[in-house]
Amino acid sequence: MIKKLAALSVLLISACSDGDGNVVPSWVRESGSVVDSGTFGEANINNLGIQNGDRSYVLSLANRFAEEVPNMVNFDFDSATLDENSRAVLRQQANWIREFPEVRFKVYGHTDSVGSNGYNKSLGLRRAQAVVSYLGSQGISRDRLEAVVSLGKTQPLIVTQGRERKNRRTVTEVTGFVSGHPNILDGKYAAIIYRDYVNSAQAKTGLEGLALGGGSE
């Protein structure tokens, strides 16, 4: 009995789970690979982002974008073509995006529940790419836009197995800051968010100065 327990202990020490429920002997994997499931180090990255203000200000900008402009456009059934209403919404998005050249965005593509998972993921991606292309035509750098995530039919707004226009959509979201942009190298993320408020205050001060000077010639 003691020998069996000892053998079992050696087996447990020598093997562990790979994160997918599969037991992998440690002697056939590189050191640390079983521990790292693909997210190793993210806690440090997140903590650094919180400390220097990056993460909190990205969240503030994301909330502000969603509040100030429509972040969603809808599509006809089995279509990735933008109609005039969608283009009007995207022009509003482009106007907002131009105010913040340091900010990056992602466009997520969605579908309704009709059709296979594979087809709908492809359709959702084509919808996201159509939005990115149109924003690019409005002067937004493609380096700041990503259409790499397609959620297909996995996140419906309205749960139904039938056709539903509200589920056939894209969502534009703030995802971070442009790497290496000179305006964020000093970490003054708050100045980026409130820059338009600061600019409006400076413009007002200039008008007040003009009034105090007795008017213009």
Short mmCIF file of all heavy atoms in Angstrom, two decimals, residues 28-70:
data_model
loop_
_atom_site.label_atom_id
_atom_site.label_comp_id
_atom_site.label_asym_id
_atom_site.label_seq_id
_atom_site.Cartn_x
_atom_site.Cartn_y
_atom_site.Cartn_z
N VAL A 28 8.09 16.54 -20.58
CA VAL A 28 8.02 16.70 -22.03
C VAL A 28 7.66 18.12 -22.43
O VAL A 28 7.41 18.40 -23.58
CB VAL A 28 7.00 15.72 -22.66
CG1 VAL A 28 7.39 14.29 -22.39
CG2 VAL A 28 5.59 16.02 -22.17
N ARG A 29 7.60 19.03 -21.47
CA ARG A 29 7.27 20.42 -21.75
C ARG A 29 8.39 21.32 -21.26
O ARG A 29 9.13 20.97 -20.33
CB ARG A 29 5.96 20.82 -21.05
CG ARG A 29 4.76 19.99 -21.45
CD ARG A 29 4.33 20.29 -22.89
NE ARG A 29 3.89 21.66 -23.04
CZ ARG A 29 2.64 22.05 -22.77
NH1 ARG A 29 1.72 21.19 -22.35
NH2 ARG A 29 2.29 23.31 -22.93
N GLU A 30 8.55 22.49 -21.87
CA GLU A 30 9.56 23.42 -21.41
C GLU A 30 9.19 23.97 -20.03
O GLU A 30 8.03 24.00 -19.66
CB GLU A 30 9.74 24.57 -22.41
CG GLU A 30 8.53 25.47 -22.57
CD GLU A 30 7.59 24.97 -23.64
OE1 GLU A 30 7.65 23.78 -23.99
OE2 GLU A 30 6.78 25.79 -24.12
N SER A 31 10.19 24.39 -19.30
CA SER A 31 9.97 24.87 -17.94
C SER A 31 9.02 26.05 -17.93
O SER A 31 9.20 27.03 -18.66
CB SER A 31 11.31 25.28 -17.33
OG SER A 31 11.13 25.82 -16.04
N GLY A 32 7.97 25.96 -17.11
CA GLY A 32 7.03 27.05 -16.95
C GLY A 32 5.88 27.05 -17.92
O GLY A 32 4.94 27.82 -17.78
N SER A 33 5.91 26.17 -18.93
CA SER A 33 4.88 26.22 -19.96
C SER A 33 3.51 25.83 -19.44
O SER A 33 2.50 26.31 -19.92
CB SER A 33 5.26 25.30 -21.12
OG SER A 33 5.29 23.95 -20.70
N VAL A 34 3.47 24.92 -18.46
CA VAL A 34 2.18 24.49 -17.92
C VAL A 34 1.57 25.58 -17.06
O VAL A 34 0.36 25.75 -17.00
CB VAL A 34 2.34 23.18 -17.11
CG1 VAL A 34 1.01 22.77 -16.49
CG2 VAL A 34 2.86 22.07 -18.01
N VAL A 35 2.43 26.37 -16.41
CA VAL A 35 1.95 27.46 -15.58
C VAL A 35 1.38 28.57 -16.44
O VAL A 35 0.33 29.15 -16.14
CB VAL A 35 3.09 28.00 -14.70
CG1 VAL A 35 2.61 29.22 -13.90
CG2 VAL A 35 3.59 26.92 -13.77
N ASP A 36 2.06 28.86 -17.55
CA ASP A 36 1.64 29.97 -18.42
C ASP A 36 0.57 29.49 -19.39
O ASP A 36 0.85 28.77 -20.34
CB ASP A 36 2.84 30.50 -19.20
CG ASP A 36 2.47 31.71 -20.04
OD1 ASP A 36 1.33 32.19 -19.93
OD2 ASP A 36 3.34 32.17 -20.80
N SER A 37 -0.67 29.91 -19.17
CA SER A 37 -1.78 29.53 -20.04
C SER A 37 -2.04 30.57 -21.11
O SER A 37 -3.07 30.55 -21.76
CB SER A 37 -3.05 29.31 -19.20
OG SER A 37 -3.40 30.50 -18.54
N GLY A 38 -1.13 31.53 -21.27
CA GLY A 38 -1.29 32.56 -22.28
C GLY A 38 -1.58 33.93 -21.71
O GLY A 38 -1.60 34.92 -22.43
N THR A 39 -1.81 34.00 -20.41
CA THR A 39 -2.10 35.29 -19.77
C THR A 39 -1.04 35.67 -18.75
O THR A 39 -1.22 36.59 -17.97
CB THR A 39 -3.47 35.24 -19.07
OG1 THR A 39 -3.47 34.18 -18.08
CG2 THR A 39 -4.57 34.97 -20.09
N PHE A 40 0.06 34.91 -18.72
CA PHE A 40 1.11 35.16 -17.74
C PHE A 40 1.67 36.57 -17.90
O PHE A 40 2.02 37.00 -19.00
CB PHE A 40 2.25 34.14 -17.92
CG PHE A 40 3.23 34.14 -16.78
CD1 PHE A 40 2.92 33.51 -15.59
CD2 PHE A 40 4.45 34.76 -16.90
CE1 PHE A 40 3.82 33.48 -14.54
CE2 PHE A 40 5.36 34.75 -15.86
CZ PHE A 40 5.05 34.11 -14.67
N GLY A 41 1.73 37.32 -16.83
CA GLY A 41 2.25 38.67 -16.87
C GLY A 41 1.19 39.74 -17.07
O GLY A 41 1.49 40.93 -16.93
N GLU A 42 -0.05 39.36 -17.37
CA GLU A 42 -1.08 40.37 -17.61
C GLU A 42 -1.43 41.16 -16.36
O GLU A 42 -1.82 42.31 -16.45
CB GLU A 42 -2.33 39.73 -18.20
CG GLU A 42 -2.16 39.34 -19.66
CD GLU A 42 -3.47 38.95 -20.30
OE1 GLU A 42 -4.50 38.98 -19.61
OE2 GLU A 42 -3.46 38.61 -21.50
N ALA A 43 -1.29 40.52 -15.20
CA ALA A 43 -1.57 41.23 -13.96
C ALA A 43 -0.60 42.41 -13.79
O ALA A 43 -1.00 43.52 -13.44
CB ALA A 43 -1.47 40.30 -12.77
N ASN A 44 0.68 42.17 -14.08
CA ASN A 44 1.66 43.26 -13.98
C ASN A 44 1.38 44.35 -15.00
O ASN A 44 1.49 45.54 -14.70
CB ASN A 44 3.08 42.71 -14.20
CG ASN A 44 3.57 41.90 -13.02
OD1 ASN A 44 3.06 42.05 -11.91
ND2 ASN A 44 4.55 41.06 -13.24
N ILE A 45 1.03 43.95 -16.22
CA ILE A 45 0.72 44.93 -17.26
C ILE A 45 -0.48 45.77 -16.85
O ILE A 45 -0.50 46.99 -17.00
CB ILE A 45 0.46 44.22 -18.59
CG1 ILE A 45 1.74 43.54 -19.09
CG2 ILE A 45 -0.06 45.20 -19.64
CD1 ILE A 45 1.53 42.68 -20.32
N ASN A 46 -1.51 45.11 -16.31
CA ASN A 46 -2.70 45.83 -15.87
C ASN A 46 -2.39 46.78 -14.72
O ASN A 46 -2.84 47.93 -14.71
CB ASN A 46 -3.78 44.84 -15.45
CG ASN A 46 -5.08 45.52 -15.08
OD1 ASN A 46 -5.76 46.06 -15.94
ND2 ASN A 46 -5.43 45.51 -13.82
N ASN A 47 -1.60 46.30 -13.76
CA ASN A 47 -1.25 47.15 -12.63
C ASN A 47 -0.46 48.38 -13.07
O ASN A 47 -0.67 49.50 -12.59
CB ASN A 47 -0.43 46.36 -11.60
CG ASN A 47 -1.27 45.35 -10.86
OD1 ASN A 47 -2.48 45.47 -10.81
ND2 ASN A 47 -0.63 44.34 -10.29
N LEU A 48 0.46 48.18 -14.02
CA LEU A 48 1.23 49.31 -14.53
C LEU A 48 0.33 50.30 -15.23
O LEU A 48 0.46 51.52 -15.05
CB LEU A 48 2.31 48.80 -15.51
CG LEU A 48 3.19 49.87 -16.16
CD1 LEU A 48 3.96 50.63 -15.09
CD2 LEU A 48 4.14 49.23 -17.15
N GLY A 49 -0.63 49.78 -16.01
CA GLY A 49 -1.57 50.66 -16.69
C GLY A 49 -2.42 51.47 -15.73
O GLY A 49 -2.72 52.64 -15.99
N ILE A 50 -2.81 50.86 -14.62
CA ILE A 50 -3.59 51.58 -13.61
C ILE A 50 -2.74 52.65 -12.95
O ILE A 50 -3.17 53.78 -12.73
CB ILE A 50 -4.15 50.60 -12.56
CG1 ILE A 50 -5.17 49.66 -13.20
CG2 ILE A 50 -4.75 51.35 -11.39
CD1 ILE A 50 -6.40 50.37 -13.74
N GLN A 51 -1.48 52.31 -12.62
CA GLN A 51 -0.62 53.24 -11.91
C GLN A 51 -0.27 54.46 -12.76
O GLN A 51 -0.23 55.59 -12.26
CB GLN A 51 0.68 52.53 -11.47
CG GLN A 51 0.47 51.47 -10.40
CD GLN A 51 -0.05 52.06 -9.10
OE1 GLN A 51 0.35 53.16 -8.70
NE2 GLN A 51 -0.93 51.34 -8.42
N ASN A 52 0.00 54.26 -14.06
CA ASN A 52 0.39 55.41 -14.87
C ASN A 52 -0.80 56.12 -15.51
O ASN A 52 -0.64 57.11 -16.22
CB ASN A 52 1.41 55.00 -15.95
CG ASN A 52 0.83 54.07 -17.01
OD1 ASN A 52 -0.38 53.98 -17.19
ND2 ASN A 52 1.71 53.37 -17.71
N GLY A 53 -2.02 55.60 -15.26
CA GLY A 53 -3.21 56.27 -15.74
C GLY A 53 -3.73 55.78 -17.06
O GLY A 53 -4.80 56.19 -17.49
N ASP A 54 -2.97 54.91 -17.76
CA ASP A 54 -3.35 54.45 -19.08
C ASP A 54 -4.71 53.78 -19.07
O ASP A 54 -5.62 54.19 -19.80
CB ASP A 54 -2.27 53.47 -19.59
CG ASP A 54 -2.49 53.04 -21.02
OD1 ASP A 54 -3.61 53.26 -21.53
OD2 ASP A 54 -1.56 52.49 -21.62
N ARG A 55 -4.89 52.75 -18.24
CA ARG A 55 -6.12 51.97 -18.26
C ARG A 55 -7.34 52.80 -17.86
O ARG A 55 -8.39 52.72 -18.48
CB ARG A 55 -6.00 50.74 -17.34
CG ARG A 55 -5.00 49.71 -17.82
CD ARG A 55 -5.42 49.09 -19.13
NE ARG A 55 -4.44 48.17 -19.66
CZ ARG A 55 -4.43 46.87 -19.42
NH1 ARG A 55 -5.35 46.34 -18.66
NH2 ARG A 55 -3.51 46.11 -19.96
N SER A 56 -7.20 53.61 -16.81
CA SER A 56 -8.35 54.37 -16.33
C SER A 56 -8.78 55.41 -17.35
O SER A 56 -9.98 55.65 -17.55
CB SER A 56 -8.03 55.03 -14.99
OG SER A 56 -6.93 55.91 -15.11
N TYR A 57 -7.82 56.03 -18.04
CA TYR A 57 -8.18 57.06 -19.01
C TYR A 57 -8.71 56.46 -20.30
O TYR A 57 -9.53 57.07 -20.97
CB TYR A 57 -6.99 57.97 -19.26
CG TYR A 57 -6.66 58.83 -18.06
CD1 TYR A 57 -5.39 58.85 -17.51
CD2 TYR A 57 -7.66 59.58 -17.45
CE1 TYR A 57 -5.11 59.62 -16.39
CE2 TYR A 57 -7.39 60.35 -16.34
CZ TYR A 57 -6.12 60.37 -15.81
OH TYR A 57 -5.85 61.12 -14.70
N VAL A 58 -8.23 55.26 -20.65
CA VAL A 58 -8.83 54.55 -21.79
C VAL A 58 -10.30 54.27 -21.50
O VAL A 58 -11.17 54.46 -22.35
CB VAL A 58 -8.08 53.24 -22.09
CG1 VAL A 58 -8.89 52.34 -23.03
CG2 VAL A 58 -6.73 53.54 -22.72
N LEU A 59 -10.59 53.83 -20.28
CA LEU A 59 -11.98 53.57 -19.89
C LEU A 59 -12.80 54.85 -19.92
O LEU A 59 -13.95 54.85 -20.39
CB LEU A 59 -12.02 52.95 -18.49
CG LEU A 59 -13.41 52.61 -17.95
CD1 LEU A 59 -14.14 51.64 -18.87
CD2 LEU A 59 -13.31 52.04 -16.54
N SER A 60 -12.24 55.96 -19.45
CA SER A 60 -12.96 57.23 -19.48
C SER A 60 -13.27 57.65 -20.91
O SER A 60 -14.38 58.10 -21.22
CB SER A 60 -12.14 58.32 -18.78
OG SER A 60 -11.98 58.03 -17.41
N LEU A 61 -12.28 57.49 -21.80
CA LEU A 61 -12.50 57.84 -23.19
C LEU A 61 -13.54 56.93 -23.84
O LEU A 61 -14.36 57.37 -24.63
CB LEU A 61 -11.19 57.75 -23.97
CG LEU A 61 -10.27 58.97 -23.90
CD1 LEU A 61 -8.95 58.66 -24.61
CD2 LEU A 61 -10.92 60.18 -24.52
N ALA A 62 -13.48 55.63 -23.50
CA ALA A 62 -14.44 54.69 -24.06
C ALA A 62 -15.87 55.05 -23.65
O ALA A 62 -16.80 55.03 -24.47
CB ALA A 62 -14.10 53.26 -23.61
N ASN A 63 -16.05 55.38 -22.37
CA ASN A 63 -17.37 55.77 -21.90
C ASN A 63 -17.83 57.07 -22.57
O ASN A 63 -19.00 57.20 -22.95
CB ASN A 63 -17.35 55.95 -20.38
CG ASN A 63 -17.19 54.65 -19.65
OD1 ASN A 63 -17.50 53.58 -20.18
ND2 ASN A 63 -16.69 54.70 -18.42
N ARG A 64 -16.92 57.99 -22.72
CA ARG A 64 -17.27 59.27 -23.33
C ARG A 64 -17.66 59.09 -24.79
O ARG A 64 -18.62 59.69 -25.27
CB ARG A 64 -16.09 60.23 -23.18
CG ARG A 64 -16.40 61.61 -23.71
CD ARG A 64 -15.28 62.55 -23.40
NE ARG A 64 -15.45 63.77 -24.18
CZ ARG A 64 -14.54 64.71 -24.28
NH1 ARG A 64 -13.39 64.59 -23.65
NH2 ARG A 64 -14.76 65.78 -25.00
N PHE A 65 -16.91 58.26 -25.52
CA PHE A 65 -17.22 58.00 -26.93
C PHE A 65 -18.62 57.42 -27.06
O PHE A 65 -19.41 57.85 -27.90
CB PHE A 65 -16.18 57.05 -27.51
CG PHE A 65 -16.45 56.64 -28.93
CD1 PHE A 65 -16.22 57.53 -29.97
CD2 PHE A 65 -16.91 55.37 -29.23
CE1 PHE A 65 -16.46 57.15 -31.29
CE2 PHE A 65 -17.15 54.99 -30.54
CZ PHE A 65 -16.93 55.88 -31.57
N ALA A 66 -18.94 56.42 -26.21
CA ALA A 66 -20.25 55.77 -26.27
C ALA A 66 -21.38 56.72 -25.90
O ALA A 66 -22.51 56.57 -26.37
CB ALA A 66 -20.26 54.55 -25.35
N GLU A 67 -21.09 57.71 -25.06
CA GLU A 67 -22.12 58.65 -24.64
C GLU A 67 -22.34 59.78 -25.67
O GLU A 67 -23.46 60.27 -25.82
CB GLU A 67 -21.73 59.28 -23.30
CG GLU A 67 -21.79 58.29 -22.13
CD GLU A 67 -21.21 58.90 -20.86
OE1 GLU A 67 -20.72 60.05 -20.92
OE2 GLU A 67 -21.25 58.22 -19.82
N GLU A 68 -21.29 60.18 -26.37
CA GLU A 68 -21.36 61.38 -27.20
C GLU A 68 -21.70 61.10 -28.66
O GLU A 68 -22.19 62.00 -29.36
CB GLU A 68 -20.04 62.15 -27.10
CG GLU A 68 -19.78 62.69 -25.70
CD GLU A 68 -18.53 63.54 -25.61
OE1 GLU A 68 -17.84 63.71 -26.65
OE2 GLU A 68 -18.24 64.04 -24.51
N VAL A 69 -21.42 59.89 -29.13
CA VAL A 69 -21.76 59.56 -30.52
C VAL A 69 -22.34 58.15 -30.57
O VAL A 69 -22.04 57.32 -29.71
CB VAL A 69 -20.52 59.63 -31.46
CG1 VAL A 69 -19.97 61.03 -31.54
CG2 VAL A 69 -19.45 58.66 -31.01
N PRO A 70 -23.19 57.85 -31.56
CA PRO A 70 -23.67 56.46 -31.70
C PRO A 70 -22.48 55.57 -32.05
O PRO A 70 -21.71 55.87 -32.96
CB PRO A 70 -24.65 56.55 -32.87
CG PRO A 70 -24.98 58.01 -33.02
CD PRO A 70 -23.77 58.75 -32.56
#
